[in-house]
Amino acid sequence: MVLVTVVLLFAAPLAPAAAYPIRDHQWYLAPLQIPQAQQQARGQGVIVAVIDSGVDDTIPELAGRVLAGSGFGPGAGTDGRKDLGSTGHGTAMASLIAGAGADDQVLGVAPASTILPISVLADQGAPASAIAAAIRYATDRGAKVINLSLGAPGAASSDMRDAIDYALARDVVVVAAAGNVASGDVQVANLASVPGVVAVSGIDKDGSPWSGSAKGPQTVVSAPSTSILVATPARNDPHYALGSGTSQATALTSGTIALLRSRYPGLNAANIIERLIATAQDRGAPGRDTSYGFGEIQPYAALTARVPGVYSNPLLTGGSTAGADPEASPTLQPVPIQPAPLQPTLPGLAPTGPDDPGKQPQAGSAQDDSGHLLLLAAAVGVAIGIGITLISTFATMVFRRTERARARREAYQWPPPPI
């Protein structure tokens, strides 16, 4: 099975930056409140795996923040730090996630995050086995977010599903593109359709569904996907381009999750996802729908809103399970566990001090003169007075039973024991 990249529709390369101000073309920064979000967090300490065509680590946007990774399939034998795709797809995604943004460079959503590049595809695509191996590799190398701006029509292979389950079980947030109609993805592509994955669809500048985006019930969130400025490999001059696709929407979402993981390092993946979907701006029909999922991502709100915690991944349980993790909101304080309440004193048994020689027994205590009382008190949880009555009754029954047994022995004239 071959997995093809979700198409990055590049327009002609941009003119030099002096004539084409980069920041002016990052139109989505303002509506997503990226500058405000970056005052809360910038992605420090978070490794984002970009499983793609490789990442050029020499461009100024990413210099010094691209780890040595690996390659599988068409990328085998590389460390991921060379972009094997003619369009520079992997580099473009990394720039949207972690672009430094200095000197009018492309500003990524999480500019202090670190990229783990894993090269799995060139222009001819990649086998499913390479994708699965890459997901496991990223998980084992400490990635807390995996960006999959790729996919293919049809169902995911068993090895890819197993690899995604492997990542989810190890507290990784997996983000995948819903797919592009131009690539044949009328329905949500096969990586994004796996349960537990954050499937991302595309929207236009006005917030309406992008006509080129795949859609379906597996859609989790939506993000800007049209006329997105990206940085491409240094071999291009200039190394900037405009493009449209759910690949870009996915990278913006991965950057948002990197901010969340940086701001809330104690939160597990389930609660990170809950923050993402609980704060998404609901568009279209109320509630989750096939075009927007739970809504458009809102990075600043996700970082600052009061969001109840959950016990499990809301994408696997079919809904949120609120009230689990007090760290899910910066404004909430943990509720301490209280000791079990003391049993109330029984009527007629007034509490007394420990040194009072005339103190009376409390509920649950035992008297030394009868082993039966503890048994009865533990079994039926009754007061000492009732217990004494029961003991008396029990003793009488034992006495009568003994007497009846003695009478039977005498009546039947049991022979005496041998001498």
Side-chain angles (χ1 to χ4, degrees):
M1 177 181 178
V2 174
L3 193 69
V4 297
T5 179
V6 173
V7 176
L8 177 65
L9 301 176
F10 281 129
L14 297 178
Y20 230 99
I22 300 302
R23 197 73 75 253
D24 291 350
H25 285 79
Q26 292 192 267
W27 61 267
Y28 55 85
L29 295 177
L32 293 185
Q33 296 183 288
I34 297 298
Q36 296 91 324
Q38 290 178 351
Q39 292 178 3
Q40 302 291 321
R42 293 175 61 82
Q44 299 94 326
V46 178
I47 297 175
V48 181
V50 176
I51 298 177
D52 213 294
S53 58
V55 175
D56 184 352
D57 67 337
T58 67
I59 64 172
E61 281 84 355
L62 300 173
R65 286 179 301 104
V66 179
L67 301 173
S70 187
F72 302 90
T78 71
D79 69 357
R81 293 183 292 188
K82 179 180 180 181
D83 200 318
L84 302 180
S86 60
T87 63
H89 190 271
T91 304
M93 297 305 103
S95 72
L96 291 176
I97 295 168
D103 300 325
D104 207 28
Q105 302 165 1
V106 171
L107 175 64
V109 177
S113 62
T114 302
I115 298 296
L116 176 65
I118 307 175
S119 179
V120 296
L121 57 86
D123 294 338
Q124 71 270 28
S129 59
I131 306 297
I135 292 172
R136 291 177 179 271
Y137 175 86
T139 301
D140 293 340
R141 286 293 303 274
K144 303 306 290 182
V145 187
I146 294 178
N147 185 85
L148 294 164
S149 289
L150 39 79
S157 64
S158 60
D159 55 348
M160 286 196 295
R161 293 195 304 270
D162 290 344
I164 289 174
D165 288 342
Y166 181 84
L168 297 179
R170 287 157 180 78
D171 200 46
V172 179
V173 180
V174 181
V175 190
N180 296 346
V181 173
S183 300
D185 302 316
V186 178
Q187 298 179 334
V188 174
N190 65 22
L191 283 169
S193 63
V194 176
V197 174
V198 178
V200 187
S201 65
I203 58 176
D204 289 328
K205 287 184 178 181
D206 62 1
S208 61
W210 177 47
S211 60
S213 175
K215 61 183 66 175
Q218 302 93 342
T219 305
V220 175
V221 291
S222 55
S225 63
T226 58
S227 299
I228 304 296
L229 180 72
V230 296
T232 66
R235 63 177 180 256
N236 300 329
D237 186 22
H239 69 282
Y240 300 104
L242 284 171
S244 299
T246 56
S247 287
Q248 292 91 316
T250 302
L252 296 178
T253 302
S254 291
T256 299
I257 294 171
L259 293 181
L260 288 169
R261 303 225 79 162
S262 175
R263 175 67 177 83
Y264 302 106
L267 284 188
N268 60 17
N271 280 279
I272 294 295
I273 293 172
E274 175 67 11
R275 277 193 162 271
L276 183 75
I277 64 178
T279 57
Q281 183 178 356
D282 194 4
R283 294 184 179 275
R288 188 178 186 180
D289 59 64
T290 59
S291 294
Y292 295 101
F294 289 96
E296 181 185 2
I297 61 170
Q298 298 295 310
Y300 179 70
L303 289 166
T304 59
R306 182 185 179 93
V307 179
V310 296
Y311 290 100
S312 57
N313 187 335
L315 304 181
L316 293 175
T317 59
S320 301
T321 309
D325 195 334
E327 242 190 299
S329 171
T331 63
L332 296 179
Q333 296 297 322
V335 178
I337 298 174
Q338 300 293 337
L342 299 176
Q343 293 186 3
T345 303
L346 291 174
L349 297 178
T352 57
D355 297 326
D356 185 351
K359 69 176 181 179
Q360 302 186 46
Q362 303 297 306
S365 65
Q367 294 182 334
D368 294 334
D369 60 344
S370 175
H372 296 293
L373 180 57
L374 179 59
L375 176 62
L376 293 173
V380 300
V382 296
I384 294 300
I386 299 174
I388 293 174
T389 302
L390 292 176
I391 291 173
S392 299
T393 303
F394 180 76
T396 301
M397 291 173 58
V398 171
F399 175 78
R400 290 177 177 175
R401 182 178 301 172
T402 302
E403 285 298 298
R404 285 197 297 268
R406 184 183 60 80
R408 283 197 301 270
R409 286 198 300 271
E410 293 177 353
Y412 286 98
Q413 297 180 351
W414 295 101
I419 300 175

